[in-house]
Every structure is written in structure tokens, then in C-alpha cells.
Amino acid sequence: MADERTRYFRRLGRLRRSARRWSVTAGGLGGAAAVLTPYAGLGLPDAAWAAGAGGALVLAAWRWVDLRALAARPAPPALDPAEAAARSRARLVAAVERLPVGPGVLAEVRRVRSRVALRGTSAAEPWARLDRAALTLAGMSGRLTGLAEPAVLEAAEADRSLRDLAGRVASVERALRLAPPDARPPLAEAHRALTGQLEQGVAAYERLVVAAAGYVAEDARPDADHPAASRLTEATDLLHGVAGALAELRGVNAPLRTP
């Protein structure tokens, strides 16, 4: 997509070309009217030539006026390359999100990018466990209704917090590798504390997913047989009865054979 500066110069070029085109058209029609009117006398065709020349002349004048008004305005400043790239990326993301499978594709791309960013750090393994648990919970979210809805909201908030904590652990670990020897002890202590928090949080999230699966299983397990199984059993018995009746009818209608 073009920015404001590019659109300004494109519009300026279109107006300039339109003004030149209508000027040429007005000149051609005016010259034809000036030549043909004295040659053939005044008549209906001469009125058409004159009307066309006058209309083209007026349109050319309007185009030149619009061109001068637009040229008098200062051109928008050029965008910073980083800002232009960010705008292009935002437009691309918006276009992909409008597709039927766009949100899922974008979510997968973001997950892969986050996994690559944490590769080689101690936060990669807890983040992978968290991602698997989050995907499992997302598959059950449509069935976690009623009393389970607050737990789903709490899980979403915990997921964001734990992912941010994983990013912090990776940042501190990378800084620890570059730190001088005298500055490493406090960073190492902070890294151990953050890693412990991340491990505890991921373990708690996994326990929540297990509890959610138990809730879904208990909510879907009735005291009696499933209605679909009952109907299939009844249909099977019915088919067996029909098959037996047809067999009996075939035996009755068979001709008696003489020995």
C-alpha cells in the first residue's frame, strides 16, 4: 500500500495528464469547428463541434485549476523506513485476518516466532509445555461453560503472564552470558528466581488443564447409556426383526417340492 507522499504525487501526475489531455481535445475540437463552420456554413453538426469544443475547454480549465491548487500544497513528508515497514506489516496482518483461516494462521506464525526467539535458553522447554497445555485448553474452551467460565478467563490471563515471564527469563539469561564476572552473581540469582517462578506457573497451568479435562469428562458422562447408542441398538434390533420376518415369508411362499 502507498503512503500519503506517494498518493500525493500520483494524484498530481493524474491531474497533469488529465489537464493536458483535455487541453489537446479542446484544441482539436476548436480547430475543427473553426475550419468546418466557414467551409460548410452554420448547421446542426457545426453546433455539435462548437459544443464539444466549449465543453472540452471548460474541463481543461478546471483540470488546470485543480492541478495548480494541488501543486500549491506542500507534499507530505517521507515516511521513516521502519514506520513504513510497520504500516505495511499491519496492513498485511489485517488482510490475512479477514480470511476464513487467517486468525489461525497468524496465531501459528506468532507461536513459531516465539519458539524460535526462546531457542537455546532455559525458558524454551517450559514455554513448549505451556504452549501444548494452552492448545489443549483451547480445544476444550467451547465446552467449559457455566461454573467453568471464570477458570477459562483466569487461564487466559495466566497464559499471557507466563509467556511474558518466559521472555524475561530468556532476556536475563542472554544478559548473563555477556555480563562481566563481578556482575554475574546478582543476575544468576535473579535468573534462578525467575526460572523457578516459570516452572511453578507452568506446572500449575498444566494442573488446571487436567482439571478442565476432568470437568469436561464428568459433564458429558450421563448416568444411563448415551442416547445415540440407545437409538443405534433399537435400529439394529429392528433390522434383525425385519430380516427374520422376510426369511419366514420366503419360506412360506416357496413351492412345495414332490419327492
Side-chain angles (χ1 to χ4, degrees):
M1 296 293 290
D3 56 358
E4 294 294 332
R5 184 179 178 86
T6 304
R7 283 196 292 268
Y8 170 82
F9 284 109
R10 285 181 181 176
R11 185 184 176 193
L12 192 67
R14 284 196 300 267
L15 282 176
R16 183 179 291 108
R17 290 190 296 271
S18 179
R20 291 174 178 175
R21 184 169 56 252
W22 282 111
S23 298
V24 172
T25 304
L29 292 177
V35 171
L36 295 177
T37 298
Y39 179 77
L42 295 176
L44 187 59
D46 304 305
W49 284 108
L57 182 61
V58 172
L59 285 174
W62 283 348
R63 289 296 183 267
W64 284 112
V65 170
D66 294 341
L67 175 62
R68 291 188 178 183
L70 183 62
R73 291 163 45 187
L79 283 179
D80 182 69
E83 184 178 358
R87 289 188 179 184
S88 300
R89 185 165 54 252
R91 294 190 187 99
L92 179 60
V93 169
V96 173
E97 284 181 344
R98 287 193 292 268
L99 299 175
V101 296
V105 172
L106 290 177
E108 183 63 26
V109 170
R110 293 189 182 104
R111 271 199 301 272
V112 172
R113 185 176 60 185
S114 300
R115 187 184 301 118
V116 171
L118 297 177
R119 183 179 299 172
T121 65
S122 59
E125 194 272 336
W127 192 95
R129 290 167 48 199
L130 175 64
D131 194 48
R132 288 194 297 269
L135 290 176
T136 304
L137 185 63
M140 299 184 294
S141 60
R143 299 179 178 88
L144 296 173
T145 57
L147 298 176
E149 289 183 358
V152 175
L153 298 177
E154 186 66 26
E157 183 64 28
D159 179 74
R160 289 190 292 269
S161 177
L162 289 173
R163 292 182 190 276
D164 179 72
L165 181 59
R168 292 174 183 270
V169 170
S171 299
V172 173
E173 184 172 344
R174 293 190 182 98
L176 183 61
R177 296 171 184 173
L178 302 176
D182 56 344
R184 287 183 179 179
L187 279 179
E189 182 63 27
H191 180 263
R192 282 192 296 270
L194 292 175
T195 304
Q197 292 179 5
L198 180 61
E199 291 286 347
Q200 294 175 2
V202 172
Y205 192 92
E206 290 173 339
R207 289 193 295 270
L208 174 64
V209 174
V210 173
Y215 173 85
V216 171
E218 291 296 332
D219 186 55
R221 186 172 63 182
D223 296 333
D225 293 337
H226 197 274
S230 301
R231 290 194 297 269
L232 289 175
T233 303
E234 293 175 359
T236 303
D237 294 339
L238 177 62
L239 289 176
H240 281 305
V242 172
L246 291 175
E248 292 179 1
L249 288 174
R250 192 182 304 107
V252 170
N253 294 330
L256 295 178
R257 296 182 179 179
T258 58

